[in-house]
Amino acid sequence: MATYKPVVVQAFPKLGERITKDTAYWRGYKTPVQIKEFGAINKIDFSPVPPYNYAVTASSRIHIYGRYSQEPIKTFSRFKDAAYCATYRDDGNLLVAGSEEGSIHLFDVSGRAPLRQFDGHTKPVHVVGFLSDKYRVFSGGDDYSSNLWDIASATEIVSYSEHTDYVRCGCASKVNADVFLTGSYDHTVKLFDARTKSSVMTIEHGQPVESVLLFPSGGLLVSAGGRYVKVWDVLKGGQLLVSLKNHHKTVTCLCLNSSGQRLLSGSLDRHVKIYSTTSYKVVHSFNYATSILSLALSPEDETIVVGMTNGVLSVKHKKPEERKEKSQKKRQPAYRTYVKGRTYMPKQEDFCVSKPVKRVLRKYDKLLKSFQSSKALDAVLEPPIRLYTPEVTVAVMQELHRRGTLRSALAGRDEKQINLLLTFVARRVIEPRFTPVLVTVADMITDIYQPVVGQSAIVDRQFLRLQEAIGKEIDYQEELLEVLGMMDTLFATFTEKRATYLEENKSNGLTETIETNMNN
Amino acid sequence: MVAPATLRVVRCGGSTLHGARAVFSADSYLLCAAGDFVKMYSVATEETLRVMGGHADLVTGVQLNPHNHMQLYSSSLDGSIKLWDFMDGIPIKTFTVGSKLLALYALASSEDSVFVVIPKSGERDTFQLVSVKLAKAAGQDLEAKELSVVLDGVDASPKRIAFGREGEYVASVKEVNLQVFFFKRKQLNRFSVSAIKTKSGNNHFTCIACHPTEDCIATGHADGKIRLWRNFYHKKDYTFSTLHWHHDTVMDLAFSMEGTSLLSGGVESVLVLWHNESDCQKDFLPRLGSAIEYISMSSDGALCCTLHTDNRITIINSNLRFSKSIQGLIKSTDVKTGLVVDPRTKALVLNGEPGHLQFYCLQSDQQLFSLDIVQRQYIHQAGLNQADLVKVAFSAQGKWLATVEEREEVTDPELQLKLWFYDEETQSFKLNTRINMPHEDHITDMCFREMDELEDDSLILVTAGRDCVFKVWVMVEDTDPEAQQSVSWSCDFVGSYHNYQATNCCFSEDGSLLAVSFEETVTVWDSVTWDLKCTFCHPPGKIRNICFGRLTCSKYLIGATDYGFLCCWNLLSCALEWSAHLNVLVLQPDPLSEHIAAVSWLSKESSLFVFKPNEPRPIYIQRNLCKEKIQLAAFVPRDEPETIGSEKYHWLRRSQLFFLTDTQELMTLSTKSLEERLTPSSKQLAVEESLPVTPFSLLLGKHRRQQSQEDIDLGKLVHNKHKQDSPAVKELLHTPAHVLPSASFLCPIFINSLLISKENKSAEEVADEVEMESEKTEDDSDEERGVTEMEQEDTSPMELLGEMTCKLSKSQEKELRKIRKMDYSWISAF
């Protein structure tokens, strides 16, 4: 004897973006907080120690923001002209910044006046940074030189003038205190060792280099310039590993996430793309209002801060982990009752008697089981089902039609219920997955309630809305058919060599759907 | 040695079970009319225990002999009543009545006569209930000519006559009239209900049942009402009450043994139990699968069984719990899927219950399993269009199954193509891909590319549709590693030819060519590039069937057309090789040889032609295969090639041909003669088979095996007679332990029986003696017949003595018999 089979609600394949773990992770941020700065933001740097304040360099100021603060908690504004590239030291106590006039300033984060000033560059200094031994600072300037400074004595240790254009980016190795690299508009990235008098390695990027990045292991190097992001193997002597071309404007900034598994790149095309560092495929992307100049990710990926050309700082905080508080509210049986007997492992000689599992039927299934058509239809027209799972409503309508009782289920309703039904039909009839069923339903409703048209203003308005929706859809389908005709002529010219009756169809479901809709 | 056997058409399942009400025997067997046979099922195990054949036409009535419940009467359309000993499956007597018998009733109150319904001589479509006196003469075949008419103008259906309590009256219904005849008073009362026609049907009587202890008649009506009639002794003052639940015809009614409740069933396939004949107290057993045709109760009231229109028997407990179901080949209204052979189980696959696919095992005449394809609740209601399975195809190894279901609809048909993957773990098919509306119109044919190679990517499915295209479906691997399944199916190519409807499709044996027929034309496509290679046409007439030749004949393409032509085209020369004028209904190639079977329909009979494509002359012709139209045929590979003597039937060596007729009878062709096929069932007695496996018998078996090995070791000193059972051992094994005398008493006899006797009597002498003995025992048993069942069982091993020579001395035999006699008296004391 068969048991009752519940109504099959057809699942339709979801079109569009597929939800992966990555999209779920990167979508887990709150809506951004916008902070207006005075000029284009050229650098954002997070303090490596808690509470993870971050320094934002914009125009002639360096602002230091707390994690959740809207206002800067500290400002360094001793620059005559633009400041560049304020960077924290590893211990979070010192901050170094370049400037338009060519001097480099070193600040104590807790103080206000600069501790040191390194003079030597003749042109603006766009890149500065600490080496990993914490006692030296490297810098690159528009005078084509890359310098190394001693903090204690505020003197220049060495100056390399190997670049042939502006030096605009650089980065120090975390594993070796003597190694740093700078990227320049002469399309090269040069690797320097403080112990030698000249560069150790030169990598040809091909476009003006806007940003460079070393992996924490020091083995891989990422350079960004033009529309390309390129990954190089340093240990193999600068061999190109992969070249990524996912942006359609110049890539301006690069950043790694805390685990080192994902690479982020920001570009003038207003997008931030996130790559997996194993497959180098784009796993997610964000878009912003204007072109992006700088980008930083706080430790633990708690915050994404993006600086843009119009001086807007966009700060996104991670949503807190969802607590399962709701389920706790509901009173559940005590744990002991719940696990009672469940942990018992049957012995080999035990005879197991299993209780048949009681199947829980949905309300509409219970009603359908007892052949109560009208009530089943009422059940699926309840707001939660009608609004959030319209496919259930349509499936039940189809089932009623299959049983031949749809007409009687639709009949005998009052003004309010007809209004509800017609609202649903008018709204959903244009969805291709529901069209076949809802057209029948609409047909029956008009048939049944034809005599009462004109008695209720609300119902009449719904009928007009339905007519309008269907009219629009017909126009739309006609247009689509025209496009299809055009495409057919194109295909025909492509397959000229073949016999005329051969019709190659890359059936992706689109044409079929359109044609079935046309039948209605 | 082998006589030039002729091919015979043998029925092998699927015959209609619902010729008559089933009957429970006193010891929990179920007896049931099945086509020309009477089948005996075990209620406990659902197995078919015995098939009793002998009637030449449909069996119409099965009734236990009211005076001996080990015997059974059966009536048939061939005009004979047979009395069976159903425990042994032996026909005891045959009474020839002469005219068609449409129903049979046996009453305890009537001594030596039974009641049958026969057509009234000289008039068409009028029937009468007559009582037939069964003569008590000796002999097997008797004439029963003493007929006396009881009621005139009765209905032919056995459900429309019922006998009242203790056979005091008989009630019969026809159309809107009910007539009751009282035997004692010879009084005939007629009642009628006024004919009403409503939307759901008229109120004609459909069935009748009489209360077992009270004067009450229940009648079922076509509009779903049940009327309970009382006080029908009076012509005027009769009363009736109405019970109404069924919305469609009440198919059958049955009272419980005490008469406290009434069971009714109908098209809704719900069994309704009415308590105390009141409208408000009722219980239901819903969703029994298909319309209920007959309801019968066992005599102790513990069980009830329903026979369904799809040849299924459901056994139901007294508390209205589903207990068991006996199902052979389920009869569906229309076999749209064709006969398909599952390559994995070699089971025949076809439509089963609505929306299900049944896997039917040919060897055991049992349904292996039923696969739910449509997965929707089936509503048993007339005039509803519900989705049904129309096409089925298996891939070569049975790994993939493709099914098409459709729902007939005026505006646009609902179509679904489903692809199922065989899951090794659960040993069943799992849904892999579902495609809505694969074609815009009905799918006419479907086939897999049959490649025996193991790689999966060569698997291709082709569907041909009435929307003038054929589509090619291929497996696509899902690139996302997190997806639930790794492969799914999608459309790869759509082909059409001059906007003609595609009717058939078929792959060549190596899978390189695809033939698709478009109305009058056959097109041949390259299966790699999907280029049209060539076309064949044989005007006038649309193509009905196509198939490729196999093995040595793979260069031929065979097609059958509407206008009665069978054509064979050569694919190398692209020319017609030969054609024959033959109205072919079914064209079926043998998967293991070059042979192709064609079944034609000519002048109201089906004929079979077997040919090889390379020669226009058929190898084998059988005219008048059967009178019915043959719908479908299938070659089922044999487990092991059969040795067939005659060259003529060589084509049956590796596979067996099965075909299904219009009336849903599954038939096959057999070279074996009737005797060969019947030996296992008809002659052997029941006891031999049902020998229980007790630890003791196992021990004994081991002992015997050892002994026989020793015998071999010893050379030919010992005759092989010793391997046979000694009667003493048999006796010991078959007598229930609680009636056996003490072990110490039996031990010496038993030990003796195991000894090898030294005296070597001449075999003839022994045989003579034993024969005498056995005759005597048979006489004994005749006298004792009908006392208890146990005696019968016990006498049978003694009958077996005739076949075997024993090594017991005569005195020992006598002693044994004494013991037996003794313990019988002991039983009868109880």
Side-chain angles (χ1 to χ4, degrees):
Chain A
M1 193 187 81
T3 48
Y4 174 78
K5 292 173 201 157
V7 174
V8 182
V9 177
Q10 294 214 343
F12 287 87
K14 283 205 180 79
L15 295 176
E17 197 182 352
R18 198 186 270 125
I19 293 180
T20 57
K21 272 185 189 165
D22 273 295
T23 51
Y25 182 84
W26 292 110
R27 270 183 195 166
Y29 286 94
K30 292 185 203 162
T31 43
V33 176
Q34 309 263 356
I35 300 168
K36 182 78 179 127
E37 291 287 338
F38 293 109
I41 296 158
N42 60 57
K43 176 75 177 177
I44 303 162
D45 192 44
F46 269 92
S47 159
V49 293
Y52 306 127
N53 294 335
Y54 54 93
V56 176
T57 320
S59 178
S60 62
R61 283 157 206 243
I62 300 168
H63 287 298
I64 293 179
Y65 289 91
R67 199 155 149 210
Y68 294 111
S69 63
Q70 296 266 15
E71 295 293 318
I73 52 173
K74 200 170 177 76
T75 307
F76 298 100
S77 52
R78 293 292 174 89
F79 298 95
K80 293 189 189 79
D81 209 337
Y84 295 111
C85 197
T87 311
Y88 276 104
R89 200 165 77 167
D90 274 356
D91 55 6
N93 288 331
L94 293 183
L95 194 72
V96 70
S99 68
E100 184 71 34
E101 64 262 35
S103 60
I104 300 163
H105 299 264
L106 185 75
F107 299 95
D108 183 357
V109 173
S110 51
R112 194 163 284 274
L115 292 177
R116 295 278 187 282
Q117 186 169 343
F118 309 110
D119 290 310
H121 282 291
T122 54
K123 291 270 177 70
V125 179
H126 274 268
V127 56
V128 283
F130 291 96
L131 291 188
S132 55
D133 64 358
K134 301 180 190 165
Y135 306 125
R136 286 177 287 178
V137 168
F138 72 89
S139 66
D142 284 357
D143 54 359
Y144 309 165
S145 64
S146 313
N147 293 2
L148 203 61
W149 310 84
D150 182 39
I151 293 175
S153 59
T155 51
E156 183 186 295
I157 300 171
V158 65
S159 175
Y160 304 97
S161 318
E162 294 191 14
H163 284 296
T164 54
D165 206 339
Y166 298 159
V167 179
R168 282 291 164 93
C169 57
C171 141
S173 164
K174 286 209 168 57
V175 287
N176 190 326
D178 289 317
V179 175
F180 71 98
L181 46 91
T182 51
S184 156
Y185 278 6
D186 64 357
H187 302 186
T188 60
V189 177
K190 285 190 189 281
L191 186 72
F192 299 102
D193 190 332
R195 294 163 293 193
T196 58
K197 284 284 169 202
S198 61
S199 68
V200 192
M201 189 187 290
T202 304
I203 287 161
E204 195 65 41
H205 179 80
Q207 278 86 21
V209 182
E210 294 281 0
S211 180
V212 287
L213 191 74
L214 265 176
F215 269 68
S217 67
L220 290 180
L221 184 152
V222 189
S223 62
R227 295 167 59 196
Y228 292 89
V229 174
K230 290 183 178 177
V231 184
W232 313 85
D233 192 338
V234 179
L235 299 179
K236 272 191 179 172
Q239 192 185 8
L240 180 66
L241 266 186
V242 67
S243 170
L244 307 167
K245 190 187 166 190
N246 294 93
H247 287 284
H248 58 263
K249 275 186 188 168
T250 304
V251 183
T252 52
C253 46
L254 290 171
C255 170
L256 275 176
N257 82 334
S258 56
S259 66
Q261 300 287 309
R262 298 287 181 269
L263 174 71
L264 285 81
S265 68
S267 154
L268 293 180
D269 66 359
R270 305 185 289 113
H271 284 274
V272 172
K273 306 247 174 201
I274 300 165
Y275 309 85
S276 155
T277 51
T278 45
S279 63
Y280 291 106
K281 291 236 168 73
V282 176
V283 292
H284 193 72
S285 82
F286 297 113
N287 56 357
Y288 285 91
T290 43
S291 305
I292 295 160
L293 279 185
S294 54
L295 164 75
L297 212 60
S298 77
E300 311 299 323
D301 300 349
E302 286 292 329
T303 317
I304 300 176
V305 186
V306 168
M308 284 168 275
T309 47
N310 61 355
V312 171
L313 188 69
S314 157
V315 186
K316 276 188 189 177
H317 291 290
K318 191 143 197 154
K319 281 180 194 160
E321 286 287 313
E322 277 180 34
R323 298 272 151 74
K324 303 248 166 120
E325 280 170 16
K326 275 181 194 168
S327 56
Q328 280 179 351
K329 276 180 201 163
K330 209 166 133 192
R331 179 153 173 78
Q332 284 191 334
Y335 180 70
R336 260 164 60 201
T337 359
Y338 188 69
V339 295
K340 196 174 175 184
R342 285 185 193 232
T343 48
Y344 181 77
M345 289 299 289
K347 296 194 190 78
Q348 201 173 12
E349 64 268 22
D350 283 355
F351 183 79
C352 295
V353 179
S354 57
K355 213 165 59 177
V357 181
K358 199 188 166 199
R359 281 192 325 151
V360 182
L361 289 178
R362 303 285 299 270
K363 192 181 172 193
Y364 58 85
D365 266 330
K366 273 184 200 156
L367 292 165
L368 281 176
K369 190 181 168 189
S370 51
F371 291 88
Q372 304 185 48
S373 320
S374 286
K375 283 186 182 167
L377 187 59
D378 286 344
V380 289
L381 284 174
E382 301 272 320
I385 295 181
R386 182 189 47 177
L387 297 176
Y388 300 112
T389 53
E391 62 270 17
V392 173
T393 312
V394 174
V396 169
M397 284 177 175
Q398 192 177 15
E399 172 70 19
L400 288 174
H401 183 46
R402 207 166 63 82
R403 293 180 176 209
T405 51
L406 182 58
R407 185 173 284 271
S408 48
L410 288 171
R413 286 171 184 270
D414 59 20
E415 185 188 41
K416 204 173 147 199
Q417 284 169 317
I418 301 169
N419 182 26
L420 203 81
L421 255 174
L422 279 173
T423 322
F424 179 79
V425 172
R427 188 174 156 200
R428 303 287 181 180
V429 76
I430 47 171
E431 284 184 41
R433 53 182 180 158
F434 301 143
T435 306
V437 182
L438 289 184
V439 164
T440 328
V441 173
D443 214 21
M444 281 187 184
I445 294 174
T446 37
D447 252 18
I448 296 166
Y449 296 104
Q450 208 175 18
V452 295
V453 166
Q455 289 181 14
S456 155
I458 303 168
V459 174
D460 289 355
R461 199 163 61 232
Q462 292 298 344
F463 271 118
L464 286 176
R465 270 191 58 198
L466 179 66
Q467 190 189 13
E468 193 185 342
I470 291 174
K472 261 188 195 167
E473 184 63 16
I474 289 172
D475 290 345
Y476 179 57
Q477 295 289 347
E478 270 173 10
E479 269 176 48
L480 278 181
L481 266 193
E482 278 171 25
V483 174
L484 208 65
M486 285 185 240
M487 277 161 70
D488 272 349
T489 39
L490 282 177
F491 281 133
T493 49
F494 284 144
T495 54
E496 205 172 10
K497 277 173 237 160
R498 294 213 178 171
T500 46
Y501 48 77
L502 258 174
E503 181 196 357
E504 185 81 44
N505 191 345
K506 284 275 168 259
S507 171
N508 49 8
L510 180 71
T511 50
E512 279 167 49
T513 326
I514 291 164
E515 274 159 39
T516 42
N517 287 341
M518 278 317 291
N519 294 339
N520 299 311
Chain B
M1 189 183 140
V2 178
T6 51
L7 275 191
R8 293 180 317 106
V9 180
V10 180
R11 224 167 260 185
C12 59
S15 43
T16 54
L17 279 179
H18 44 79
R21 278 200 183 101
V23 170
F24 281 98
S25 77
D27 37 11
S28 76
Y29 294 110
L30 186 69
L31 295 145
C32 177
D36 302 0
F37 303 96
V38 178
K39 279 190 180 173
M40 183 165 101
Y41 298 98
S42 159
V43 173
T45 63
E46 312 165 23
E47 262 178 299
T48 312
L49 292 182
R50 193 153 288 113
V51 179
M52 290 174 266
H55 283 296
D57 209 336
L58 226 56
V59 176
T60 53
V62 176
Q63 288 281 321
L64 286 183
N65 185 353
H67 305 293
N68 180 352
H69 57 77
M70 302 308 294
Q71 293 178 353
L72 175 85
Y73 285 114
S74 70
S75 69
S76 159
L77 285 183
D78 65 355
S80 66
I81 300 170
K82 276 179 191 278
L83 182 65
W84 303 85
D85 179 349
F86 60 81
M87 287 312 296
D88 298 341
I90 299 169
I92 300 169
K93 282 196 165 84
T94 306
F95 304 97
T96 316
V97 178
S99 53
K100 275 185 183 177
L101 306 178
L102 294 151
L104 173 80
Y105 307 93
L107 284 191
S109 55
S110 58
E111 282 290 309
D112 48 357
S113 54
V114 291
F115 296 90
V116 289
V117 173
I118 58 168
K120 197 168 184 178
S121 51
E123 286 178 59
R124 274 189 70 215
D125 295 336
T126 41
F127 303 91
Q128 52 191 7
L129 178 73
V130 296
S131 92
V132 181
K133 193 159 171 66
L134 302 176
K136 273 213 166 163
Q140 279 241 318
D141 295 313
L142 299 170
E143 295 270 303
K145 289 291 172 204
E146 273 184 68
L147 307 178
S148 57
V149 178
V150 179
L151 272 180
D152 228 342
V154 298
D155 202 281
S157 164
K159 287 189 283 194
R160 294 184 188 169
I161 293 173
F163 286 82
R165 75 179 154 98
E166 284 137 32
E168 280 192 5
Y169 57 89
V170 59
S172 144
V173 288
K174 190 181 183 185
E175 288 167 2
V176 291
N177 301 310
L178 163 72
Q179 45 184 346
V180 185
F181 178 74
F182 298 93
F183 287 105
K184 291 225 177 91
R185 286 186 278 165
K186 302 269 182 253
Q187 184 191 351
L188 180 67
N189 285 1
R190 289 174 196 275
F191 312 98
S192 61
V193 288
S194 52
I196 306 164
K197 266 207 138 159
T198 57
K199 200 174 69 182
S200 58
N202 50 27
N203 60 345
H204 283 189
F205 286 99
T206 51
C207 53
I208 184 166
C210 292
H211 198 286
T213 52
E214 293 170 32
D215 284 329
C216 173
I217 296 171
T219 56
H221 297 260
D223 55 0
K225 281 183 182 141
I226 299 167
R227 286 192 170 84
L228 291 166
W229 303 74
R230 288 174 189 279
N231 224 1
F232 41 82
Y233 290 106
H234 310 287
K235 284 200 172 175
K236 290 272 163 62
D237 301 338
Y238 66 91
T239 57
F240 66 79
S241 56
T242 312
L243 308 174
H244 196 175
W245 180 85
H246 294 277
H247 69 76
D248 216 325
T249 312
V250 180
M251 299 283 271
D252 203 6
L253 291 167
F255 274 102
S256 66
M257 276 305 126
E258 298 82 23
T260 49
S261 53
L262 175 70
L263 287 166
S264 70
V267 184
E268 306 89 351
S269 76
V270 180
L271 188 68
V272 187
L273 178 70
W274 307 83
H275 294 286
N276 304 321
E277 295 153 22
S278 70
D279 210 349
C280 44
Q281 272 186 302
K282 49 188 181 283
D283 285 326
F284 305 102
L285 182 64
R287 293 183 289 280
L288 284 170
S290 62
I292 295 169
E293 189 77 35
Y294 292 98
I295 303 170
S296 42
M297 297 283 299
S298 71
S299 55
D300 55 357
L303 293 170
C304 122
C305 90
T306 54
L307 259 67
H308 299 264
T309 43
D310 64 352
N311 277 354
R312 202 156 31 139
I313 304 170
T314 310
I315 297 167
I316 294 154
N317 282 348
S318 56
N319 54 357
L320 218 60
R321 282 280 174 79
F322 171 82
S323 161
K324 281 183 182 70
S325 134
I326 298 170
Q327 47 196 4
L329 185 67
I330 285 189
K331 179 180 175 175
S332 62
T333 45
D334 191 6
V335 181
K336 292 173 186 158
T337 58
L339 291 182
V340 184
V341 179
D342 175 18
R344 198 176 288 268
T345 56
K346 302 280 179 294
L348 210 58
V349 178
L350 63 158
N351 279 121
E353 283 176 64
H356 287 61
L357 198 61
Q358 62 171 327
F359 287 66
Y360 171 75
C361 179
L362 291 161
Q363 278 75 36
S364 60
D365 183 27
Q366 263 183 335
Q367 190 185 319
L368 290 182
F369 63 95
S370 178
L371 185 67
D372 188 359
I373 300 288
V374 175
Q375 293 176 334
R376 284 189 179 182
Q377 184 66 38
Y378 188 82
I379 312 293
H380 293 275
Q381 191 182 324
L384 265 192
N385 268 333
Q386 300 189 66
D388 205 3
L389 199 58
V390 288
K391 290 281 176 281
V392 167
F394 280 97
S395 71
Q397 268 92 26
K399 204 172 165 189
W400 286 94
L401 164 70
T403 59
V404 176
E405 64 200 56
E406 64 181 33
R407 194 164 80 96
E408 204 68 51
E409 185 107 337
V410 191
T411 47
D412 48 336
E414 251 181 69
L415 282 177
Q416 272 194 356
L417 172 65
K418 282 178 178 170
L419 285 134
W420 305 75
F421 178 71
Y422 189 81
D423 192 354
E424 294 282 352
E425 262 175 49
T426 55
Q427 293 283 306
S428 70
F429 285 98
K430 221 174 130 189
L431 186 60
N432 177 277
T433 308
R434 192 190 62 206
I435 299 160
N436 280 334
M437 294 303 288
H439 283 261
E440 272 141 53
D441 209 337
H442 299 282
I443 289 181
T444 51
D445 203 1
M446 177 166 73
C447 63
F448 272 103
R449 182 157 80 169
E450 289 197 22
M451 299 281 267
D452 284 332
E453 294 150 30
L454 284 173
E455 71 238 43
D456 261 346
D457 51 344
S458 68
L459 209 59
I460 286 176
L461 177 72
V462 172
T463 53
R466 238 185 264 167
D467 56 348
C468 308
V469 292
F470 72 89
K471 290 191 180 179
V472 180
W473 308 84
V474 291
M475 259 194 279
V476 222
E477 271 186 45
D478 212 325
T479 47
D480 189 3
E482 280 151 24
Q484 284 186 344
Q485 50 194 28
S486 57
V487 286
S488 59
W489 290 74
S490 74
C491 186
D492 184 50
F493 176 76
V494 180
S496 63
Y497 182 77
H498 289 301
N499 229 6
Y500 288 136
Q501 289 184 357
T503 50
N504 288 291
C505 59
C506 169
F507 270 105
S508 67
E509 195 189 12
D510 60 352
S512 63
L513 288 177
L514 168 72
V516 184
S517 65
F518 288 94
E519 294 183 12
E520 292 182 358
T521 322
V522 181
T523 55
V524 180
W525 305 71
D526 186 322
S527 74
V528 179
T529 59
W530 301 114
D531 282 333
L532 181 67
K533 287 292 173 197
C534 58
T535 59
F536 300 109
C537 186
H538 195 279
K542 292 177 182 171
I543 304 291
R544 209 182 257 167
N545 293 305
I546 48 169
C547 72
F548 278 96
R550 288 182 174 272
L551 304 173
T552 56
C553 304
S554 52
K555 60 176 177 178
Y556 297 103
L557 176 69
I558 318 291
T561 69
D562 265 354
Y563 272 68
F565 275 98
L566 185 66
C567 314
C568 176
W569 292 285
N570 190 332
L571 291 168
L572 299 178
S573 62
C574 291
L576 184 69
E577 192 85 1
W578 54 267
S579 73
H581 194 69
L582 199 62
N583 181 25
V584 176
L585 285 185
V586 180
L587 195 65
Q588 186 68 34
D590 182 0
L592 297 177
S593 66
E594 299 98 335
H595 304 288
I596 292 176
V599 179
S600 77
W601 176 249
L602 284 173
S603 58
K604 304 220 167 155
E605 61 175 45
S606 296
S607 312
L608 173 72
F609 299 84
V610 180
F611 61 93
K612 277 188 186 181
N614 55 0
E615 45 190 325
R617 198 168 299 282
I619 297 170
Y620 176 76
I621 302 174
Q622 172 136 1
R623 297 208 181 270
N624 195 7
L625 198 61
C626 68
K627 289 281 178 213
E628 291 127 16
K629 226 174 187 176
I630 285 175
Q631 271 192 325
L632 301 158
F635 274 102
V636 180
R638 290 184 202 269
D639 291 337
E640 48 197 53
E642 200 166 325
T643 47
I644 287 171
S646 174
E647 188 69 24
K648 208 170 150 191
Y649 309 128
H650 214 67
W651 58 277
L652 274 175
R653 208 169 66 87
R654 298 191 60 188
S655 27
Q656 205 173 356
L657 182 66
F658 286 89
F659 36 89
L660 196 75
T661 63
D662 264 353
T663 52
Q664 290 262 300
E665 304 234 18
L666 190 66
M667 312 226 224
T668 186
L669 286 172
S670 164
T671 49
K672 287 179 185 162
S673 60
L674 192 66
E675 293 78 45
E676 267 181 276
R677 286 191 83 245
L678 285 180
T679 37
S681 62
S682 65
K683 275 290 166 191
Q684 232 163 31
L685 296 175
V687 186
E688 183 71 34
E689 293 156 44
S690 62
L691 196 130
V693 185
T694 58
F696 178 63
S697 70
L698 283 174
L699 195 79
L700 200 71
K702 210 187 277 172
H703 174 80
R704 258 189 237 137
R705 226 173 297 133
Q706 271 178 5
Q707 197 184 31
S708 61
Q709 268 182 357
E710 275 167 22
D711 290 352
I712 294 160
D713 292 344
L714 283 171
K716 282 171 186 170
L717 265 176
V718 193
H719 299 275
N720 55 357
K721 290 169 195 168
H722 295 138
K723 284 177 203 158
Q724 293 169 338
D725 306 342
S726 95
V729 174
K730 240 185 191 157
E731 194 80 6
L732 209 63
L733 289 174
H734 291 303
T735 320
H738 65 281
V739 298
L740 274 177
S742 69
S744 59
F745 190 79
L746 278 172
C747 194
I749 309 166
F750 177 61
I751 301 280
N752 274 338
S753 76
L754 293 178
L755 292 176
I756 302 154
S757 70
K758 276 203 179 144
E759 62 232 300
N760 236 344
K761 281 187 189 175
S762 74
E764 271 183 23
E765 249 180 74
V766 177
D768 275 356
E769 268 178 31
V770 173
E771 227 161 61
M772 271 169 60
E773 295 282 332
S774 64
E775 265 174 30
K776 229 189 267 170
T777 50
E778 255 172 18
D779 285 351
D780 279 359
S781 67
D782 267 356
E783 283 166 24
E784 289 161 6
R785 198 179 287 267
V787 182
T788 54
E789 178 205 358
M790 202 168 316
E791 274 167 358
Q792 281 219 339
E793 275 196 41
D794 283 342
T795 51
S796 33
M798 296 312 289
E799 286 172 353
L800 273 177
L801 279 174
E803 273 93 58
M804 68 186 65
T805 43
C806 72
K807 9 173 224 312
L808 284 189
S809 74
K810 209 169 172 181
S811 58
Q812 277 172 325
E813 289 269 0
K814 271 187 182 152
E815 208 165 36
L816 253 180
R817 198 157 299 126
K818 248 184 241 161
I819 296 163
R820 218 186 58 215
K821 283 268 156 68
M822 197 176 76
D823 63 51
Y824 282 152
S825 57
W826 185 69
I827 302 171
S828 57
F830 280 86

